[in-house]
Amino acid sequence: MSAQTKFLLDESKMPRHWYNIAADLPVPAPPVLHPGTMQPVGPDDLAPLFPMELILQEVSTEREIAIPEPVREVFKLWRPSPLIRAHRLEKALGTPARIYYKYEGVSPAGSHKPNTAIPQAWYNQQAGIKKLATETGAGQWGSSLSFAGALFGIEVTVFQVRVSYDQKPYRRALMETYGARCIASPSNETNAGRAILAQNPNHLGSLGIAISEAVEVAATHDDTKYSLGSVLNHVLMHQTIIGQEAMLQLEMAGDDPDVIVGCTGGGSNFAGIAFPFIGQQLRGAGKTKQRRIVAVEPAACPSLTRGRYAYDFGDTAHMTPLTKMHTLGSTFTPPGFHAGGLRYHGMAPLVSHLKQLGIIEATAYHQNECFAAGVQFARAEGILPAPEANHAVLGAINEALRCKQEGRSEVILFNLCGHGHFDMSSYSNFAAGKLVDQPYDEAELAMALAGLPSVPA
Amino acid sequence: MSAQTKFLLDESKMPRHWYNIAADLPVPAPPVLHPGTMQPVGPDDLAPLFPMELILQEVSTEREIAIPEPVREVFKLWRPSPLIRAHRLEKALGTPARIYYKYEGVSPAGSHKPNTAIPQAWYNQQAGIKKLATETGAGQWGSSLSFAGALFGIEVTVFQVRVSYDQKPYRRALMETYGARCIASPSNETNAGRAILAQNPNHLGSLGIAISEAVEVAATHDDTKYSLGSVLNHVLMHQTIIGQEAMLQLEMAGDDPDVIVGCTGGGSNFAGIAFPFIGQQLRGAGKTKQRRIVAVEPAACPSLTRGRYAYDFGDTAHMTPLTKMHTLGSTFTPPGFHAGGLRYHGMAPLVSHLKQLGIIEATAYHQNECFAAGVQFARAEGILPAPEANHAVLGAINEALRCKQEGRSEVILFNLCGHGHFDMSSYSNFAAGKLVDQPYDEAELAMALAGLPSVPA
């Protein structure tokens, strides 16, 4: 075990461009539609919510978009993130596979989310915006935007799904330490929130509802814009710094991945590690090796494996445009499992499009097997993964066990998108045998899918 | 702000030796005494508690001791740790000083403690030991030894101070995830614990009591040794990898520190960053610059600034040998402030000796000003420091503000020994104005000092 463990890049080697997969798609992704006119939305439709630079990124088909220097300066606090060879996990599994993980938990907020929070805050600051509203589930995104706001002097308001707000006071404390305001959603601060509370004052909230509240605040306040931590094209593009770095680091290691694994909720960390490799494949550039790209999602919220590829709203109150994506229906409420960052009814349109084109695979796991994988990983590699990341850990372990069975020494790369330091109550519950693999309600799914908006072909 | 931010060393540059300051002391530190005979203890006296390799390190005067290759292999999971230039903090303070911090929070357990947990577990494994007993306050040390135990197949039992056990269930969950057993101390598992509980069944515990319990378990079980996370010579030596790396990294930066700051509880993270620089100075090697070395301790447990330099026990039940150190008396119980890792009545003999020789300075701060410094740091640099590390942060900030006042562009290096992800309730309480700067009880201190053992000169 004397081979190299950690592959570090000097900050001078940090990528200077984001990679935009729209430039290389064999078929363009379907347009985003205005729900009133059913016509494609234009930049002006999005202007109340986002600064123009981000809107232009959202619709760009340029292959490379320069990362602004002030953004790169902030990234240098923790980027390039390490690529680590999982020597000890390989040994524990007895696999001939070589397993590498890109570790995004080194960011101050503990996940990949600052990769997009920092540029989003910066572009808003450049556009003269003083306030941002956003939503968060488990709190990874909320704390990342709070951190970004502190650096660029932007007031951040975070609508946090109430069940997480109550269960994870420490994530909230982190947001508040960065100077942000955190509000349990549904709240009395918006029409969307008040309408839900009128029906059920004890509503536990959902990401869809929290999005509605944050969008409403941005849409109704001239000095406030909205910021989203996943799903959108520009958000996924900001994460491609992960895969670009991993590509350089695997070159240092003299390896080339056969399988790339990421967990998917909205799709951003998966896109971050996978898109640069997919782009290489689509362009026929680099090595000609055909790689398998595997998205791992929770069995209790299985948009890619059980959802319909259809136009749907991104939020519960139907304030967003319509996007074509794998969706369980905007009214679908997944059971309360512990990977809060993966509890979203839809999927990033770009990830959905690639799934539809057969360029990526998807698989779904239950939460107890994911936590077991996380514990095994921690005891071998030290790092305690976030519950979301445990899905990718299990995906990588299963690929490594397949390699063992088939006697193949494939190279497996996965994205360890964050640590679980704020999720210890979940680990406690797992250790105590208190976690339940609660399936989603088939009837509710059927109803949610039946309620999908009808869009003329 | 385009200058370099992060100074990384490739793992091939990781130090291959620990630095032993005993080789360079102008006067040897006073011997450790057997409390029965009042004679210096020999290796055999310590054999029930530690494997012989560690005992030999404890008394060695060799300048360099090789780090075993299997230990270096584990270190590669996170070491060398980054040295970061605090550009944003400097700007926020408006100081001409250049501030660098060595960030030890990148370890899987979140602090510098694995630097000694890993070699201690390894030497015990090599000696055929299957079980280790230890104590922990806030849990940084306990989780580090639990992690080390998982890697080397050693069963770890941790006696955690009850007040922390109850207040910080997530640290305990981390220890248990690594496979360790965590017991609230005082417990019913030892004579020391039962004696305390007989007097007060609701005793909140203390590090001194937890040490007594762990030592008793090791002393009365043939298959179990004891492991300590600070204070002892070999523990401090294991931490010198921090300062050695920092020296190489500051060379990369083209800078040389004028002031080095670390927080002190038992003294190990302070020693880790400072001893290699002190040794250089003592040998007259390297640059001739006279550096100031500043230890920062909590005003509520001020062993270096208010304690007596005297022989004392390391624990409450008086099961340890007598060491000459700055002590508040082994019966002194500090008020319940939030930097649990600094709540110890004594100080490492080597750190005490250097203080006595006038080679280092010491200063004490109250907890609210330390938390305020931690929040300022987080909003500038992103990383949320552990409450212990906040003492070093404030020390560095105060040095930088002095530089501003004096118009001097000095170079300040401090050890950011861990993150505060498991201490968010303290940050919440600070934000809510609920933290009290409770002074220690002067009468209790006087009584504890009066009770120091009398040792013939």
Side-chain angles (χ1 to χ4, degrees), chain A residues 316-329:
Chain A
T316 305
H318 296 180
M319 304 185 66
T320 68
L322 291 168
T323 51
K324 194 151 185 187
M325 59 181 175
H326 287 84
T327 179
L328 301 163

Side-chain angles (χ1 to χ4, degrees), chain A residues 14-194:
Chain A
M14 192 198 297
R16 295 177 184 278
H17 297 87
W18 289 300
Y19 167 65
N20 183 7
I21 201 169
D24 291 320
L25 290 173
V27 186
V32 174
L33 302 182
H34 189 292
T37 64
M38 292 296 171
Q39 295 301 308
V41 297
D44 289 349
D45 294 313
L46 298 172
L49 297 185
F50 304 105
M52 195 48 68
E53 282 294 321
L54 290 176
I55 294 172
L56 294 177
Q57 289 182 5
E58 185 68 16
V59 299
S60 168
T61 53
E62 293 291 313
R63 182 171 293 123
E64 294 192 330
I65 293 181
I67 306 176
E69 209 44 46
V71 169
R72 291 182 81 249
E73 285 301 322
V74 175
F75 283 170
K76 289 176 183 174
L77 288 171
W78 74 95
R79 300 211 74 85
S81 68
L83 179 81
I84 304 176
R85 169 88 182 267
H87 288 298
R88 284 179 173 71
L89 180 63
E90 291 169 16
K91 200 175 159 192
L93 298 171
T95 178
R98 298 194 291 290
I99 308 173
Y100 294 87
Y101 53 98
K102 180 74 170 161
Y103 184 40
E104 290 292 311
V106 291
S107 82
S111 77
H112 63 295
K113 295 288 188 188
N115 296 337
T116 184
I118 300 295
Q120 288 195 46
W122 187 79
Y123 284 115
N124 274 286
Q125 187 213 42
Q126 293 298 297
I129 303 306
K130 305 286 183 214
K131 297 182 187 175
L132 282 172
T134 196
E135 70 291 324
T136 200
Q140 297 266 25
W141 168 243
S143 49
S144 299
L145 195 68
S146 302
F147 161 49
L151 294 185
F152 293 115
I154 291 180
E155 258 180 58
V156 174
T157 301
V158 182
F159 290 91
Q160 183 171 24
V161 176
R162 180 178 295 276
V163 61
S164 293
Y165 181 94
D166 291 337
Q167 280 177 358
K168 300 198 168 188
Y170 296 167
R171 268 282 170 202
R172 174 161 36 108
L174 183 57
M175 295 184 235
E176 289 170 352
T177 299
Y178 286 134
R181 185 165 163 248
C182 182
I183 302 162
S185 165
S187 79
N188 273 312
E189 307 217 355
T190 65
N191 290 330
R194 283 185 290 267

